[in-house]
Amino acid sequence: MADKPVYEEASIDGQPPKLASIPASDTTVWADASPLLQAACAGLRDGELIHGDNFNLFAAMSALEIMDPKMDSGIVCTYYSIDEAIENGAAPIPISLDSTIDVRCTIDIMDHLLACEAAWHKGHSLAQTVFSCIYLLRLDRTAPHALLHSYCRIIRATCKAVVSVVSDARTHEEEDLFTMTYGLPLNGDGDDKCLSILNAVEETISRQLRACKATSSKRRLPEDLEPLQSNPNLEEGFCKALLCRLRFRKHFFHVLSCMKRPQGRGLESARKHIASCLTELESILKSADFLRSCFDESCEGDIDDKTTASGFEPIGFDAMLNSRLSAPTPPRAIKILSWKKAVEYFVKLLHDLDVICSYSLDPHLESLLRFVVQFQKSQPDLVARSHLQLLLVQDGKLYGRDPFFAVINKAAALPEATKNHDIQKNESFLQLGMLVMNLLKILCTNAAWQRRKLGKFLQDWRVIYVQLELAFRNEYGEVSSSSNDENTCMKIFQHILLWVEEQTYWIAFRFLILGFELELYSTGEYCMVYWYLYAVLIKLTEKTHLMMAVSHDTAKRKGKKKKDSPKDLARESRIPPAVLFLQCYICLAEGLTMMLAALRNEIPVFHSPSPFNTEHEKFVQHFELLQRACIPDHVSYPSYKESTTHARFSTLAMYNYFKDAQRIAKEVKSSFSNDPERLAELRKLEQGIFYPI
């Protein structure tokens, strides 16, 4: 077996490579395999490889490509260990004997760490991003450098807090490298004091900044105060640049801590810290001009691609140092975000967290589901979604305070008194509570993961409906034969069965809509998708209308009215705004289906069969999960063909679906005057926008 070459890469000046510092042992002799590999390369054609007699397909899938940085974790690195890097001066303490350069380099390290942290949040491994910093890997060495030591401590504590949040939420299956710490020193002694250490350093620099301003106004300086660096003209700018970075870290750590408090008790405090974070990020951006102007040296390349505000390369980082810690996967090629993009990422993250903190913790499930769906439209990243999930589901309760049976009780328009009924101990009701809890967790995942889970999840909702229906019939007989409204258990069953049906069709609707967001449908498939949406919306509207009628009846009984006035009767006969809102969607879905079907039937260019699969196969691919759950009943490919085969423009003109949608949207607008999100949606519906074709 040939050993890998153990020579370092040739240096820039063209000198021959030096032997790597991996010593041979009594049982190991290192040999240079480069000539053998070069000879093999010369004799191999594209696609060929050298292999032994026992080499097979399984081995090929597990093989590593020697000298490929993405595959070969043993590829020659600059340093083979942290100690070797430190011995070679890769992370000096102090960073420079020139105090001015030392301060600038410290700021560069802070900026690059921010960019590494953003890259980690985006899905890269912790080992090759934040912990590519040698100072973090040997934090005790930074103790003599108070400024760097305090910053590295708060970074480590922040990483630990973020890993904890994502692990607890368990939304990291989609970014499975996020919570893997690879044995890195994430838990350190004294990290609970990181804020007090940071506050002490911040206070020292604040005093120095006040001293700078006192000098300009010719006031007396404190005698015990030493300047940060040797150039008086740069002192104030450096103080401001450092303070905004330190304060951002402090407030961001407070945000994470406050948001983890149970039952949303820390949300108000978190919002205050979020506002402070955004202010400090603005100051960090403004400090870039000063940092670039205070040195005569010019930076090579585009400043917008740099990972530091000054444009200089940071000291003390080596992304390949931890590449061997990336097992069981080969090391990834890491591209750290630029400093500007990292700041933009944190601004968006903070805005997303602020949206979560500003939520009123509404106990109504319908409002909550709308909030989560609306929140997902901003495409929040993993950290924000994890915080949302932890807020919604705590200790098996909504917001950590409301049992899920009570939440279902309210959603199903049952009287308040029934929320503590013993029927909640029934196995089917316990399973239903788990389904609602899992639904909230699924809605907090990313769009692709969410759609996959919802598709499989639909069958669970159909099964629970059947179980509840069987339990109801075993207990009370056929629904039609029961008329005793005073029976509380029967009322609970009736209301919840209806609510489960409505919720099932809502999940189906969400599943189909996510296909648009993920661009899973080709233009030739829009006709069948809108047709299926139309079928689902018909059932959803029907169940929603029934649910609202039941809800109105419950409220009416609670009010104990003896006689209905003509005004009340007229109000009852009106269609509820929420139902009219869904009818807008129905008109648009039907209109788009018929329009696309007519185009396909009358204009040949719109009917181009796929060379890979038939229309029937596409139908099965897109709707198989819905079909398995019988959502809706009696909907199939033959019924789709029957509905669209005879569509023509001559018949389409007789039914102005789009005009009906526009009319309904205008009528219902006044009912949502206090709901800006619904109003925005209605404006789109008025313009005929369902999802872009």
Side-chain angles (χ1 to χ4, degrees):
M1 177 177 133
D3 291 305
K4 294 177 186 177
V6 292
Y7 293 96
E8 295 181 354
E9 295 177 357
S11 58
I12 296 172
D13 57 7
Q15 294 298 317
K18 299 176 183 177
L19 275 171
S21 56
I22 302 180
S25 66
D26 295 338
T27 57
T28 304
V29 177
W30 290 100
D32 182 8
S34 299
L36 176 63
L37 294 174
Q38 288 170 357
C41 288
L44 289 173
R45 290 177 296 182
D46 287 344
E48 291 184 333
L49 72 158
I50 299 173
H51 62 85
D53 294 336
N54 61 344
F55 196 75
N56 53 32
L57 178 61
F58 178 79
M61 297 297 292
S62 309
L64 296 180
E65 188 175 342
I66 294 176
M67 303 306 292
D68 183 346
K70 294 181 181 179
M71 295 291 288
D72 187 359
S73 60
I75 193 170
V76 174
C77 308
T78 310
Y79 306 109
Y80 284 96
S81 68
I82 301 167
D83 293 330
E84 183 185 348
I86 292 170
E87 286 172 12
N88 283 274
I93 295 289
I95 301 170
S96 174
L97 296 175
D98 184 329
S99 58
T100 304
I101 294 176
D102 186 271
V103 172
R104 190 214 74 198
C105 289
T106 303
I107 293 174
D108 289 343
I109 292 169
M110 293 176 176
D111 288 346
H112 191 75
L113 276 170
L114 186 78
C116 286
E117 191 176 4
W120 172 49
H121 285 196
K122 288 285 189 179
H124 290 300
S125 74
L126 186 62
Q128 290 183 270
T129 51
V130 179
F131 277 85
S132 65
C133 179
I134 300 168
Y135 292 110
L136 270 175
L137 294 167
R138 290 285 189 273
L139 195 55
D140 53 313
R141 290 183 62 251
T142 63
H145 198 300
L147 183 57
L148 184 59
H149 185 70
S150 64
Y151 195 85
C152 287
R153 268 195 180 280
I154 196 76
I155 282 281
R156 185 167 71 177
T158 301
C159 289
K160 183 180 176 182
V162 171
V163 167
S164 173
V165 166
V166 176
S167 298
D168 291 346
R170 296 183 181 179
T171 53
H172 59 283
E173 290 172 290
E174 55 205 286
E175 291 97 352
D176 55 357
L177 290 176
F178 192 92
T179 56
M180 295 177 71
T181 56
Y182 310 101
L184 294 167
L186 204 59
N187 300 307
D189 295 333
D191 275 359
D192 53 329
K193 299 177 182 176
C194 64
L195 280 175
S196 58
I197 296 170
L198 190 76
N199 286 334
V201 173
E202 181 194 344
E203 178 57 30
T204 302
I205 299 173
S206 297
R207 289 176 62 205
Q208 184 58 40
L209 180 59
R210 290 194 294 270
C212 293
K213 294 176 179 177
T215 305
S216 60
S217 60
K218 298 182 179 180
R219 284 183 285 177
R220 189 175 176 182
L221 292 174
E223 294 180 2
D224 62 331
L225 201 60
E226 294 183 5
L228 284 174
Q229 44 81 52
S230 55
N231 189 338
N233 297 326
L234 302 178
E235 186 74 1
E236 185 175 345
F238 275 128
C239 285
K240 289 179 178 178
L242 285 167
L243 279 174
C244 58
R245 285 162 172 79
L246 293 174
R247 286 170 178 164
F248 167 75
R249 298 294 354 167
K250 177 181 72 175
H251 289 297
F252 187 60
F253 186 74
H254 276 304
V255 169
L256 298 176
S257 302
C258 291
M259 290 191 73
K260 279 204 76 174
R261 290 179 192 168
Q263 299 182 15
R265 294 191 187 110
L267 297 184
E268 281 301 317
S269 298
R271 289 199 76 185
K272 293 175 184 176
H273 288 294
I274 287 170
S276 298
C277 280
L278 292 169
T279 301
E280 299 305 335
L281 283 173
E282 285 181 19
S283 300
I284 289 172
L285 285 170
K286 290 175 184 175
S287 69
D289 292 335
F290 163 77
L291 292 170
R292 290 169 194 164
S293 64
C294 62
F295 288 89
D296 295 331
E297 305 171 56
S298 59
C299 302
E300 296 180 2
D302 187 357
I303 195 71
D304 290 336
D305 294 332
K306 302 294 183 180
T307 60
T308 62
S310 67
F312 290 96
E313 288 297 316
I315 292 173
F317 290 85
D318 189 340
M320 293 301 294
L321 198 58
N322 291 322
S323 62
R324 292 192 182 98
L325 295 178
S326 298
T329 59
R332 293 183 177 184
I334 301 293
K335 178 165 176 58
I336 302 298
L337 296 181
S338 69
W339 174 74
K340 275 191 174 180
K341 286 184 178 177
V343 173
E344 288 171 5
Y345 165 78
F346 276 98
V347 168
K348 184 182 184 303
L349 171 62
L350 289 162
H351 280 304
D352 289 337
L353 294 177
D354 189 56
V355 170
I356 296 170
C357 293
S358 61
Y359 184 57
S360 61
L361 306 190
D362 193 334
H364 291 87
L365 190 61
E366 182 189 359
S367 301
L368 173 57
L369 294 176
R370 281 182 50 212
F371 168 76
V372 177
V373 169
Q374 189 64 31
F375 177 72
Q376 286 279 29
K377 288 181 181 178
S378 66
Q379 297 182 336
D381 283 297
L382 178 62
V383 176
R385 287 187 278 106
S386 297
H387 275 287
L388 175 60
Q389 185 187 308
L390 284 185
L391 173 65
L392 300 183
V393 182
Q394 300 174 27
D395 302 323
K397 296 179 180 179
L398 183 64
Y399 313 125
R401 69 184 189 207
D402 300 324
F404 275 101
F405 182 78
V407 174
I408 294 167
N409 188 83
K410 189 183 287 287
L414 283 162
E416 185 74 12
T418 60
K419 71 177 184 181
N420 297 317
H421 198 280
D422 285 344
I423 201 172
Q424 64 184 294
K425 297 174 184 176
N426 181 289
E427 184 64 28
S428 296
F429 285 99
L430 290 173
Q431 289 179 18
L432 181 59
M434 290 296 295
L435 284 182
V436 175
M437 182 169 66
N438 289 334
L439 174 62
L440 292 176
K441 289 182 178 181
I442 290 170
L443 292 176
C444 291
T445 59
N446 68 28
W449 193 261
Q450 186 183 147
R451 190 175 188 273
R452 285 197 298 272
K453 287 283 189 180
L454 287 178
K456 296 174 182 177
F457 199 48
L458 278 166
Q459 293 184 59
D460 296 334
W461 281 82
R462 289 301 269 182
V463 168
I464 201 68
Y465 177 81
V466 171
Q467 288 177 351
L468 287 167
E469 191 175 38
L470 284 173
F472 176 72
R473 287 180 177 176
N474 289 338
E475 191 74 27
Y476 303 104
E478 291 295 327
V479 177
S480 58
S481 64
S482 300
S483 59
N484 185 6
D485 292 336
E486 302 301 317
N487 190 312
T488 305
C489 289
M490 188 173 73
K491 185 184 291 185
I492 291 173
F493 268 109
Q494 287 174 329
H495 281 233
I496 288 182
L497 278 169
L498 182 56
W499 176 79
V500 168
E501 276 196 295
E502 181 196 18
Q503 204 58 47
T504 304
Y505 285 110
W506 183 89
I507 294 169
F509 176 69
R510 178 72 184 149
F511 171 81
L512 291 169
I513 289 296
L514 282 168
F516 285 105
E517 293 183 14
L518 294 166
E519 300 180 355
L520 299 180
Y521 310 129
S522 66
T523 51
E525 297 163 353
Y526 277 134
C527 183
M528 69 172 69
V529 174
Y530 282 119
W531 179 84
Y532 213 105
L533 267 168
Y534 168 74
V536 168
L537 280 165
I538 287 286
K539 299 297 288 185
L540 176 60
T541 305
E542 176 191 324
K543 302 304 175 185
T544 302
H545 201 172
L546 283 171
M547 198 69 241
M548 296 192 84
V550 167
S551 176
H552 177 75
D553 186 54
T554 302
K556 186 177 173 183
R557 287 167 183 265
K558 191 176 178 182
K560 296 180 181 178
K561 288 186 179 180
K562 292 183 180 178
K563 188 176 180 180
D564 291 323
S565 66
K567 286 185 179 179
D568 292 329
L569 292 171
R571 193 180 296 114
E572 286 177 29
S573 65
R574 292 177 193 161
I575 300 174
V579 175
L580 287 172
F581 183 82
L582 288 172
Q583 283 185 349
C584 281
Y585 273 113
I586 289 173
C587 291
L588 275 180
E590 188 177 12
L592 288 166
T593 301
M594 292 297 109
M595 181 185 73
L596 291 167
L599 283 169
R600 184 191 62 189
N601 294 338
E602 294 195 19
I603 305 175
V605 73
F606 283 96
H607 183 61
S608 52
S610 169
F612 304 109
N613 45 17
T614 64
E615 189 180 52
H616 188 192
E617 287 171 338
K618 290 179 182 179
F619 188 94
V620 172
Q621 287 167 2
H622 285 305
F623 312 123
E624 183 181 13
L625 293 172
L626 297 171
Q627 294 275 287
R628 281 184 193 170
C630 300
I631 299 173
D633 288 322
H634 313 300
V635 168
S636 61
Y637 179 72
S639 59
Y640 159 68
K641 291 299 291 182
E642 185 182 344
S643 302
T644 57
T645 300
H646 303 292
R648 295 291 184 273
F649 285 115
S650 56
T651 56
L652 189 63
M654 295 168 61
Y655 309 101
N656 202 329
Y657 307 101
F658 303 112
K659 196 170 184 179
D660 288 343
Q662 202 171 43
R663 176 182 54 78
I664 295 170
K666 285 179 180 177
E667 285 177 9
V668 82
K669 262 186 177 180
S670 59
S671 302
F672 296 106
S673 55
N674 296 323
D675 191 340
E677 292 167 6
R678 281 285 175 94
L679 282 175
E681 210 166 337
L682 281 168
R683 279 193 289 271
K684 287 184 178 179
L685 291 173
E686 271 190 283
Q687 297 165 15
I689 301 172
F690 192 126
Y691 258 87
I693 299 180

mmCIF file of all heavy atoms in Angstrom, residues 594 597-598 600-602 615 637-648:
data_model
loop_
_atom_site.group_PDB
_atom_site.id
_atom_site.type_symbol
_atom_site.label_atom_id
_atom_site.label_comp_id
_atom_site.label_asym_id
_atom_site.label_seq_id
_atom_site.Cartn_x
_atom_site.Cartn_y
_atom_site.Cartn_z
ATOM 1 N N MET A 594 -59.309 26.055 -15.811
ATOM 2 C CA MET A 594 -60.043 26.034 -17.082
ATOM 3 C C MET A 594 -59.287 26.793 -18.185
ATOM 4 O O MET A 594 -59.285 26.370 -19.340
ATOM 5 C CB MET A 594 -61.433 26.633 -16.884
ATOM 6 C CG MET A 594 -62.358 25.796 -16.015
ATOM 7 S SD MET A 594 -62.712 24.167 -16.725
ATOM 8 C CE MET A 594 -61.779 23.104 -15.620
ATOM 9 N N ALA A 597 -56.407 24.586 -19.234
ATOM 10 C CA ALA A 597 -56.931 23.423 -19.964
ATOM 11 C C ALA A 597 -57.367 23.821 -21.367
ATOM 12 O O ALA A 597 -57.119 23.090 -22.349
ATOM 13 C CB ALA A 597 -58.099 22.814 -19.188
ATOM 14 N N ALA A 598 -58.016 24.986 -21.496
ATOM 15 C CA ALA A 598 -58.454 25.462 -22.818
ATOM 16 C C ALA A 598 -57.254 25.750 -23.714
ATOM 17 O O ALA A 598 -57.264 25.414 -24.914
ATOM 18 C CB ALA A 598 -59.310 26.720 -22.649
ATOM 19 N N ARG A 600 -54.359 24.314 -23.562
ATOM 20 C CA ARG A 600 -53.784 23.021 -23.939
ATOM 21 C C ARG A 600 -54.634 22.313 -24.996
ATOM 22 O O ARG A 600 -54.108 21.693 -25.924
ATOM 23 C CB ARG A 600 -53.672 22.151 -22.681
ATOM 24 C CG ARG A 600 -52.991 20.801 -22.899
ATOM 25 C CD ARG A 600 -53.161 19.917 -21.679
ATOM 26 N NE ARG A 600 -54.578 19.647 -21.439
ATOM 27 C CZ ARG A 600 -55.039 19.044 -20.342
ATOM 28 N NH1 ARG A 600 -54.214 18.693 -19.392
ATOM 29 N NH2 ARG A 600 -56.335 18.815 -20.204
ATOM 30 N N ASN A 601 -55.950 22.435 -24.870
ATOM 31 C CA ASN A 601 -56.847 21.726 -25.792
ATOM 32 C C ASN A 601 -56.935 22.380 -27.160
ATOM 33 O O ASN A 601 -57.143 21.696 -28.172
ATOM 34 C CB ASN A 601 -58.258 21.641 -25.194
ATOM 35 C CG ASN A 601 -58.293 20.769 -23.939
ATOM 36 O OD1 ASN A 601 -57.430 19.927 -23.744
ATOM 37 N ND2 ASN A 601 -59.290 20.986 -23.091
ATOM 38 N N GLU A 602 -56.775 23.714 -27.216
ATOM 39 C CA GLU A 602 -57.005 24.417 -28.489
ATOM 40 C C GLU A 602 -55.715 24.861 -29.191
ATOM 41 O O GLU A 602 -55.720 25.063 -30.399
ATOM 42 C CB GLU A 602 -57.897 25.640 -28.245
ATOM 43 C CG GLU A 602 -59.304 25.269 -27.811
ATOM 44 C CD GLU A 602 -60.274 26.436 -27.935
ATOM 45 O OE1 GLU A 602 -59.959 27.389 -28.677
ATOM 46 O OE2 GLU A 602 -61.333 26.407 -27.299
ATOM 47 N N GLU A 615 -48.420 12.134 -18.373
ATOM 48 C CA GLU A 615 -49.170 13.043 -17.506
ATOM 49 C C GLU A 615 -49.725 12.302 -16.293
ATOM 50 O O GLU A 615 -49.735 12.847 -15.183
ATOM 51 C CB GLU A 615 -50.304 13.689 -18.304
ATOM 52 C CG GLU A 615 -51.002 14.804 -17.536
ATOM 53 C CD GLU A 615 -52.119 15.436 -18.343
ATOM 54 O OE1 GLU A 615 -52.989 14.680 -18.847
ATOM 55 O OE2 GLU A 615 -52.128 16.669 -18.469
ATOM 56 N N TYR A 637 -56.962 10.713 -11.164
ATOM 57 C CA TYR A 637 -56.533 11.197 -12.475
ATOM 58 C C TYR A 637 -57.661 11.147 -13.505
ATOM 59 O O TYR A 637 -57.845 12.118 -14.255
ATOM 60 C CB TYR A 637 -55.320 10.396 -12.955
ATOM 61 C CG TYR A 637 -54.835 10.824 -14.315
ATOM 62 C CD1 TYR A 637 -54.172 12.044 -14.490
ATOM 63 C CD2 TYR A 637 -55.061 10.032 -15.434
ATOM 64 C CE1 TYR A 637 -53.746 12.452 -15.752
ATOM 65 C CE2 TYR A 637 -54.630 10.426 -16.695
ATOM 66 C CZ TYR A 637 -53.983 11.644 -16.843
ATOM 67 O OH TYR A 637 -53.562 12.055 -18.084
ATOM 68 N N PRO A 638 -58.462 10.071 -13.563
ATOM 69 C CA PRO A 638 -59.587 10.071 -14.526
ATOM 70 C C PRO A 638 -60.566 11.224 -14.292
ATOM 71 O O PRO A 638 -61.068 11.818 -15.257
ATOM 72 C CB PRO A 638 -60.261 8.715 -14.266
ATOM 73 C CG PRO A 638 -59.158 7.844 -13.758
ATOM 74 C CD PRO A 638 -58.300 8.742 -12.929
ATOM 75 N N SER A 639 -60.819 11.568 -13.024
ATOM 76 C CA SER A 639 -61.745 12.682 -12.766
ATOM 77 C C SER A 639 -61.125 14.016 -13.183
ATOM 78 O O SER A 639 -61.832 14.926 -13.636
ATOM 79 C CB SER A 639 -62.142 12.723 -11.291
ATOM 80 O OG SER A 639 -61.015 12.872 -10.447
ATOM 81 N N TYR A 640 -59.804 14.119 -13.076
ATOM 82 C CA TYR A 640 -59.111 15.326 -13.565
ATOM 83 C C TYR A 640 -59.253 15.444 -15.079
ATOM 84 O O TYR A 640 -59.590 16.519 -15.604
ATOM 85 C CB TYR A 640 -57.632 15.275 -13.156
ATOM 86 C CG TYR A 640 -56.732 16.147 -13.994
ATOM 87 C CD1 TYR A 640 -56.815 17.539 -13.943
ATOM 88 C CD2 TYR A 640 -55.792 15.576 -14.863
ATOM 89 C CE1 TYR A 640 -55.984 18.349 -14.731
ATOM 90 C CE2 TYR A 640 -54.964 16.356 -15.638
ATOM 91 C CZ TYR A 640 -55.064 17.738 -15.582
ATOM 92 O OH TYR A 640 -54.257 18.528 -16.353
ATOM 93 N N LYS A 641 -59.018 14.333 -15.788
ATOM 94 C CA LYS A 641 -59.129 14.350 -17.249
ATOM 95 C C LYS A 641 -60.555 14.668 -17.686
ATOM 96 O O LYS A 641 -60.779 15.436 -18.627
ATOM 97 C CB LYS A 641 -58.694 12.996 -17.826
ATOM 98 C CG LYS A 641 -57.217 12.708 -17.700
ATOM 99 C CD LYS A 641 -56.338 13.709 -18.436
ATOM 100 C CE LYS A 641 -56.457 13.589 -19.934
ATOM 101 N NZ LYS A 641 -55.561 14.542 -20.647
ATOM 102 N N GLU A 642 -61.512 14.092 -16.988
ATOM 103 C CA GLU A 642 -62.917 14.329 -17.328
ATOM 104 C C GLU A 642 -63.291 15.800 -17.146
ATOM 105 O O GLU A 642 -64.073 16.355 -17.928
ATOM 106 C CB GLU A 642 -63.802 13.445 -16.430
ATOM 107 C CG GLU A 642 -65.280 13.504 -16.777
ATOM 108 C CD GLU A 642 -66.116 12.645 -15.840
ATOM 109 O OE1 GLU A 642 -65.534 11.796 -15.135
ATOM 110 O OE2 GLU A 642 -67.343 12.828 -15.823
ATOM 111 N N SER A 643 -62.712 16.451 -16.140
ATOM 112 C CA SER A 643 -63.039 17.854 -15.853
ATOM 113 C C SER A 643 -62.404 18.825 -16.842
ATOM 114 O O SER A 643 -62.926 19.925 -17.048
ATOM 115 C CB SER A 643 -62.566 18.220 -14.440
ATOM 116 O OG SER A 643 -63.144 17.396 -13.474
ATOM 117 N N THR A 644 -61.286 18.450 -17.439
ATOM 118 C CA THR A 644 -60.526 19.414 -18.246
ATOM 119 C C THR A 644 -60.486 19.101 -19.737
ATOM 120 O O THR A 644 -60.139 19.975 -20.533
ATOM 121 C CB THR A 644 -59.067 19.485 -17.725
ATOM 122 O OG1 THR A 644 -58.477 18.160 -17.774
ATOM 123 C CG2 THR A 644 -59.027 20.000 -16.295
ATOM 124 N N THR A 645 -60.842 17.906 -20.128
ATOM 125 C CA THR A 645 -60.717 17.518 -21.547
ATOM 126 C C THR A 645 -61.571 18.387 -22.466
ATOM 127 O O THR A 645 -61.164 18.710 -23.588
ATOM 128 C CB THR A 645 -61.102 16.032 -21.734
ATOM 129 O OG1 THR A 645 -60.225 15.236 -20.931
ATOM 130 C CG2 THR A 645 -60.972 15.612 -23.193
ATOM 131 N N HIS A 646 -62.755 18.777 -22.006
ATOM 132 C CA HIS A 646 -63.700 19.499 -22.869
ATOM 133 C C HIS A 646 -63.658 21.019 -22.658
ATOM 134 O O HIS A 646 -64.537 21.726 -23.152
ATOM 135 C CB HIS A 646 -65.122 18.984 -22.638
ATOM 136 C CG HIS A 646 -65.246 17.505 -22.861
ATOM 137 N ND1 HIS A 646 -65.122 16.925 -24.107
ATOM 138 C CD2 HIS A 646 -65.459 16.487 -21.982
ATOM 139 C CE1 HIS A 646 -65.261 15.612 -23.996
ATOM 140 N NE2 HIS A 646 -65.465 15.314 -22.714
ATOM 141 N N ALA A 647 -62.665 21.508 -21.951
ATOM 142 C CA ALA A 647 -62.559 22.964 -21.717
ATOM 143 C C ALA A 647 -62.226 23.673 -23.029
ATOM 144 O O ALA A 647 -61.299 23.283 -23.745
ATOM 145 C CB ALA A 647 -61.480 23.252 -20.674
ATOM 146 N N ARG A 648 -63.004 24.723 -23.344
ATOM 147 C CA ARG A 648 -62.784 25.517 -24.555
ATOM 148 C C ARG A 648 -62.960 26.992 -24.205
ATOM 149 O O ARG A 648 -63.653 27.348 -23.242
ATOM 150 C CB ARG A 648 -63.795 25.128 -25.653
ATOM 151 C CG ARG A 648 -63.664 23.717 -26.177
ATOM 152 C CD ARG A 648 -62.379 23.537 -26.998
ATOM 153 N NE ARG A 648 -62.289 22.203 -27.583
ATOM 154 C CZ ARG A 648 -61.785 21.144 -26.974
ATOM 155 N NH1 ARG A 648 -61.367 21.253 -25.723
ATOM 156 N NH2 ARG A 648 -61.703 19.975 -27.588
#
